[in-house]
Each structure stands twice: as structure tokens, then as C-alpha cells.
Amino acid sequence: MTGKQKTADGKRQAAAAPALDGASPADSAVPAEAVVVTLPADCRIAAQVALKTVLIDALVAGKVMLDGRVVEHADTAGLQLLMLFQRELKSRGGTSSWRGASDALNDAAGLLGLSQTLELPAAALA
Amino acid sequence: MSAVDLTQFHKTFFEESLEGLDAMEAALLALGAGSTDSELVHTIFRAAHSIKGGAATFGFTDVAAFTHVAESLLEEVRSERRAVDAELVELLLRSVDALRAMLDRSGRGQPVADAESEALRAELVRLVSGEAAVAVVVAPKAAAVSGWDIGFVALPHLLQTGNDPLRVFRELQQLGRLEVVRAFIVDGAPSQLSALDPTQCYLGWDLRLHGATTRADIDAVFDWLDGDCELAIKPLAEAPAASAAVAAVANEPKPAAPVAPQAQQAIASSETSSIRVGIDKVDALINMMGELVITQSMLSEIGEKFEISQLERLRDGLAHLERTTRELQESVMRIRMLPIGSVFNRFPRLVHDLERKLDKRVKLELHGEGTELDKTVLEKIGDPLVHLVRNAIDHGLESPAQRKAAGKSETGTLKLNAYHEGGNIVVQISDDGAGLNHAAIVAKAQQRGLISVGQELSDAEVAELIFQPGFSTAAKATDLSGRGVGMDVVRRNVRDLGGGVGVRSVSGKGSIFTITLPLTLAIIDGLVTAVGSERYIVPLTSIVESLRLRAEAVRKIAGGGEVFHFRDEYLPIMRLHHAFGCVDAITDIESGIVVVVEEGGRRMGLLVDDLLGQQQAVVKSLEAHYRRVQGISGATILSDGSVALIVDVGGVVRLGRSKAA
């Protein structure tokens, strides 16, 4: 339930990303034209339908920055969605990067052997 | 889901394996006794083989590995490449014990192999000829590999079943170091995000699990995903087998954990509630049920339009109903009846072990194994019997040298016999040993202050002494018997079952211990008697006769007791109204009725007002609802709804004796 709400937040943020960018001095590496997608705290199967909508919207942007810093829970479904998103984005000629990833996200991806595929930064770098 | 399916068969597997082990043991003992029957070897081999097969199927790899080695050894015997000697029989008997213990531990979800079983397995391995054979035996069964390659491809619906590869990987991590060699998106995955159902899974992995894990442990992890994924598990090539085998055992506790609780649960829940019933008994029940239905429809037909002319038919119907009900009841009770053979069967092994331990020679004879008795009674009679058998071998039978000196055969005979007598089961344990040592018993009793010095005792009275609490004549306490918790505990246990135990002994010829037990504890046939306004039920099995006495037949004896002449003996009279304190009862012996009862060879006349008829009484515990009352074994509810007390004849006889004393 909270997942949906957070995803909705993410969508709003995605739309308002450039504005956020300027407001936060720490986020130095956000390219001006990039769309930021903030992943919800609960990034598990129940939240995927909402997240998918956000990601489909982001596909058209070409440059996407994923923000996984608040992710507290992630599962195979969530990571699979991100993988397929990146694959399609790449096939459309777009690029994605990470603004950061939480320990929970890194742990799950590490266990499933998906860290490299997802090009995740270590949590410490976030 | 297959994990659930398999655990429900675990209990059957354990039961069958234990039966197989029993068969193995019996055959081994027969072989050890010098039998050359080749069928015995086949029996042992078959039992070992099916235990191995079952253990492998259900993932009890340690059991399978152990049995496999034993089986290899047996195969050599079967193909006459190895001769049967005492050492081999002994080793295999110990293997049977070890397997029993392993099965027991599997059932309770504990680590299956322990130091003892591993040592024994090593011993078996050493014995199996040829080093090559050893290597083959150990490597695959103990799953002594350094790791496993696991190909795991999720089927699309996997996530929808509530499973998550993430959780599976975490479980695998518990088993050893998990390396993801490759993670990939399967071919069927939608190329467009818009076409993706996020609840479908399109991922696959090539995994490598490092460490000495058994295949069964890995299977257990994937058990829950059966049908939800494609799986290929292969041992890592070129594993250092021998050292890994040891490591596998050392690491066992952790990996076993995920499966164990289920197995344990299955055992625990079904342990108390199951009983094996012969199909003939069930058929008899169904027959009886059919009769009952016919009678019921007949009666309801009569009842629908009843005329007085049909009275005869009604009576017939009711009589039929009564008969069928009784038969039905008997059939139901019979379901609880099991042959005493299941208890007797443990004695050949016990005797075999005691022979070696005490350096005596014993020939065990079993009779009446088919005699049936109530399951509850059966379960509780085992320990007293074991105690009596140990006693007979430890104290009763002499050493071969002593026997030879006494002019007897060097091999002593121990006989176990069970038979029905009246409404009772009688179990006799007889030996042709030295008999009770009267002098030693009397001396001990004097030392313990149980009797006074110089007191003259009959043989029977001396025999009674050994049932006194704390009495033991063993010069030193052995681990077999003579710990001072001997015969009195046996007697108390048997009495708790409503039975009695006695001994007859002839010096130099042997002793016979006789246990008498009721067939069942739940229902008795009784004679309803009136004492004043009270109703007492006397168990039919204890009644010898009922009679009216003339005043002159009764004699008063010193001390206030009364006796009467009955078939060449004088029997004491117990006035029940006096014993139980009933007012308004008949006190004149001529107007009342004397019921002659017998208990443990002692007879007594019970004075009651009147006999009201026979009835089956469902025994309700008085102790549970009120408290223990001497002379009363329980209560029951009569057809008019009133409560009647059931006379404990043994207790009343004792009560009479203590009052007379």
C-alpha cells in the first residue's frame, strides 16, 4: 500500500526532476536533461505495476537517472523490471545511470548476481 | 509442495524400516545360533536393500549410505564370497542398532549420523573386500563432492506461487558459498516493457555452490519450487571425495535443519494416534455394521404402525439388536487388541546380549506369541517383562560350570509363554535355573527388618518377600538388575494395569513368574449386586460361584472373622456392607447371598443382599473424578442412570486380610 504511494511520489519527482536537481547541491552528477526516477522504499512485486508505468514514461526521456537510495526492500520481480527497463532503454539508444543505491538494493542484486548487469554503484558511493 | 507430499510418507518409511530391522535382527540371531538356512541371508539382504532404497528416496542420505555399505557386505555373504561367523553377526547386529538410532534421529529431525555410526560404517567399509569397492561405496552416497553446479531457470509463473529466487539463494547460501556464474534473461521475455507482466519471471541462473553439501540438502531447498522451475544439478567435477565425506558429516547439523522440523512434526502428530489393524477385523466391523442397519430398519418398520400382535417380532428385533450391539462392541474392542508377539520379539536380542555379557548359555523358547491383548496393556507390559527376563538370566540361570556341576545341561532354558485364561491374559516367564535362594532371601529380609529373626516362613511367604520395596539380594548391583528397584516396581506396574504377578519356585529346578493381566481396561463383564440401597458390580471373571448359606455353615473364628465351608476348604466371609459402610443392608447371612470370588489363587466369600443381573460395565475412573478408594476399581453408570461402583476383588481380598490380621 505504501509502495503505491511512494511510487506516485516517484512519478511526481520524475516529472519535477530538473527542479529538484538545482535544489540539491549534493546531486552534482545529474545531467540537466536526465529524468530521475526514484525507486520506492518497497520495491517488491506488489509495487511493480505502478513502477512499471513510471519506467515506461521514463523510456521516452532517453537519459534516465535511477535513484535507489531509499529502497528498503527489493525482490526478484523488482530487479527484473529494472533489468528489462535498462535493456529496452539501451535498445532505444538511451542511457541510464544511478544516483545511488541502498544496501538493501545492493544486497538483493548481489545475491541474484545482477549487480553488474544493472551497473549498480556500491551503496557507499551513493 | 513435494516436500509436504514426501514427509507424509516418512512415518510409513520409518515404520517399515523398523520392521525390516526387526526382521534383520531376528534372521541375524538365527544365523548366529548356527542356522545354515540360506533364506535367512536373503531376508537380511532384502531388508537392508529396501531400507536403503527408501532412505535414498526420502533423502535420508546418511541412512542410505550406511545401509549401502552393510548391503555390500551382505552381498558378499549372499554370493558366498564371505562366510558367516560370530564376528560378522555381531557387527551386523550393531549395525542394526546403529540404523535404529539413525532412523530415530531422522524422525526427530536431529543430525542423523553420529560418531558411533560413522565409526561403525568405517568398520563395515574396512570389512568389505577391496579398496576399490570402498571408494565406490563412499563417494556417491555420502555426496562427498566439493560443490555443485546448479542450472536454475524460473518458469514464468514462479513468482506468482509466492516463491522468490532471492529466498532460494539465501537458503543455498546457508549450505555453502554461493557463486552466481551467470544471470540471464530467458528468450521468451517480452522485449517491450509495456508488454511485461511484472509478476512473471523471465530470469535464469547458472550457480555454483561450493562446499561439501549433500545433494539431498540442495534438493530440499528446491523442493518448494517443484514444477515452478527448470533445474539441473551436477556435482563439481574432480572432487576430493574422501576428505569431503568427513566434512559433510561435520557440517550436517545446519543443512539438515530446513527439512527436519517437518519430519518431526509429522511423526509427533501421528505417533499417538495410529494403530495397525488387520483387514479381517475391519471387515468384521463392516459386517456387524450391516447387521445393525438391518435390525434398525426392521425395528423402525415395526414402530411405525405398531400393533400388539407384533410384540413377538419386536422382542425378536430387540434381542437381535442386543446381540449385534454386543458383537459390534467386541469387534471394536478387538481392533485395539494386538498380539503379544510384538513384545516377545524383542527378547531374542536381549537374551543374545545378556548371554555374552554374563557368559551364560540360554535357550529362549517363545510360546503363544499370537495371544492378543489390549494395546494400552501391551505398551505397558514391555518393561516389566524385560525386567523379569533379565532377572531370570542374571539371578535365575546359573553359569554353564555351575549347571554342569548340578548335573544339568550347560544351556539353560528360558521360556516365555502367553495364553488366555478366563478373561485374563497370563504371561509366564519360567527358567530351569537354581530357583529362589530361600536362605539368602530370608537373611536379607531379616537384615532389612522386613521379618523378625527366627520367624518361620513358608515357601510362598519367602517368595512374597522379593516383591517388597527395596528388596534385592544381588551381592553387587549390576547394570542388569539388582538396583533395588526390582520386583516391587514390576508388581506395582502390573497392578496398575489391573493385573497381578506371582512366583513359584523350586530350589534347584527353577522359577516361574506369572503375570496375570486383564484383556482390556475399558469394559468389564460384571454381576450387579445390591448392598443396601447401593449397587456394586463384581467382575464376572473373578466370580467362582454364588450361593445362599445356612446359618450353621458359618463358623466364627478367633479375632471376629467368619468362615464357611466351600468345596473342601474354609473361606473367609467379607461383608461388603461392613467393608464399604453401607447402612440398611441385610446383615443376616441366611437372607443374603454369598458371592465366592477368587483373586491370585485366594478365594473369599462376599456377602451381598441380592444379585440383580449381569451387565457390561464401561469403567470410569473413580480416581479421575473423585479419589482412589481401596477395594473399588472404578465406577460405571447403570441403565437407569444411577452410579454403581465396581468392586476391585484383589483389593477387597487384601482389605479382608488386613482386617483379619
Side-chain angles (χ1 to χ4, degrees), chain A residues 1-63:
Chain A
M1 299 312 108
T2 51
K4 250 185 184 166
Q5 205 185 334
K6 299 263 174 163
T7 312
D9 285 351
K11 190 174 184 179
R12 209 177 333 111
Q13 269 191 343
L20 259 179
D21 184 28
S24 174
D27 304 330
S28 50
V30 181
E33 66 276 34
V35 170
V36 176
V37 175
T38 305
L39 303 177
D42 189 342
C43 205
R44 290 182 291 191
I45 191 163
Q48 299 311 307
V49 176
L51 184 59
K52 188 182 106 172
T53 320
V54 178
L55 290 173
I56 288 173
D57 287 348
L59 278 175
V60 290
K63 273 192 180 170

Side-chain angles (χ1 to χ4, degrees), chain A residues 45 48-49 52 55-56 59 74-77 79-81 83-85 87-88 92 108 110-114 117, chain B residues 159 164-166 169-170 173 178 180 183-185 189-194 196-203 205:
Chain A
I45 191 163
Q48 299 311 307
V49 176
K52 188 182 106 172
L55 290 173
I56 288 173
L59 278 175
D75 64 3
T76 308
L79 296 172
Q80 173 184 256
L81 184 67
M83 250 174 106
L84 292 171
F85 164 72
R87 187 173 78 160
E88 191 178 351
R92 287 174 176 227
L111 192 55
L112 290 173
L114 301 176
T117 319
Chain B
L159 297 174
D164 193 323
L166 202 58
F169 287 17
R170 278 203 189 102
Q173 267 190 331
L178 182 69
V180 181
F184 53 90
I185 299 169
S191 55
Q192 295 200 327
L193 212 54
S194 52
L196 172 77
D197 174 354
T199 64
Q200 302 257 332
C201 193
Y202 299 101
L203 301 178
W205 290 267

Side-chain angles (χ1 to χ4, degrees), chain B residues 81-261:
Chain B
R81 278 181 287 139
R82 180 182 292 277
V84 179
D85 56 14
E87 190 201 350
L88 181 72
V89 169
E90 204 55 35
L91 182 66
L92 288 170
L93 278 174
R94 283 201 285 138
S95 307
V96 167
D97 289 344
L99 277 169
R100 274 205 191 103
M102 287 168 96
L103 287 171
D104 182 51
R105 287 195 291 269
S106 318
R108 284 187 281 129
Q110 294 172 354
V112 175
D114 64 1
E116 206 177 321
S117 69
E118 280 308 298
L120 196 56
R121 202 186 68 175
E123 213 172 315
L124 288 168
V125 168
R126 266 199 303 279
L127 211 58
V128 174
S129 57
E131 285 303 306
V134 175
V136 171
V137 163
V138 180
K141 289 299 163 184
V145 293
S146 67
W148 298 84
D149 272 328
I150 304 168
F152 169 57
V153 178
L155 293 180
H157 68 271
L158 182 134
L159 297 174
Q160 291 162 348
T161 62
N163 284 304
D164 193 323
L166 202 58
R167 204 158 47 223
V168 174
F169 287 17
R170 278 203 189 102
E171 277 185 45
L172 288 174
Q173 267 190 331
Q174 302 283 313
L175 300 178
R177 188 167 66 80
L178 182 69
E179 179 193 343
V180 181
V181 180
R182 186 170 75 104
F184 53 90
I185 299 169
V186 297
D187 290 343
S191 55
Q192 295 200 327
L193 212 54
S194 52
L196 172 77
D197 174 354
T199 64
Q200 302 257 332
C201 193
Y202 299 101
L203 301 178
W205 290 267
D206 288 334
L207 304 171
R208 182 164 290 174
L209 185 63
H210 299 272
T213 309
T214 63
R215 168 72 193 249
D217 291 329
I218 298 175
D219 285 345
V221 171
F222 285 103
D223 253 348
W224 293 100
L225 300 180
D226 192 34
D228 304 326
C229 66
E230 286 167 11
L231 206 56
I233 304 177
K234 283 185 300 220
L236 274 184
E238 301 300 306
S243 62
V246 179
V249 174
N251 285 341
E252 204 61 15
K254 216 198 228 166
V259 235

Side-chain angles (χ1 to χ4, degrees), chain B residues 608-623:
Chain B
V608 299
D609 294 6
D610 201 1
L611 306 180
L612 302 176
Q614 272 184 33
Q615 189 182 327
Q616 281 211 321
V618 178
V619 182
K620 310 267 183 198
S621 161
L622 199 59
E623 220 169 325

